[in-house]
Amino acid sequence: MSVDLSQRLVPDGLWELAAPLLPSFTSRPQGGGTAPLDERCVFTAVVYVLTSGCA
């Protein structure tokens, strides 16, 4: 996503409210699983799907 769209969908104020609510990433002792991603990018993608009506 472009920076302009990202800032419009999730401004800094909204991110400051949402960031503490997200669970922290902990690696699994046995390994495997998913790699950590940028939490703000993932949150922006969720907001985009919810606000655009995208399936």
Side-chain angles (χ1 to χ4, degrees):
M1 289 186 175
S2 69
V3 174
D4 296 332
L5 179 61
S6 177
Q7 283 296 322
R8 186 169 47 109
L9 288 174
V10 182
D12 291 335
L14 176 59
W15 177 244
E16 290 174 7
L17 291 172
L21 302 175
L22 300 175
S24 61
F25 176 80
T26 55
S27 60
R28 295 172 22 159
Q30 70 270 27
T34 58
L37 299 172
D38 181 25
E39 293 175 341
R40 188 168 184 160
C41 288
V42 174
F43 184 70
T44 302
V46 170
V47 170
Y48 175 78
V49 168
L50 293 174
T51 58
S52 69
C54 177

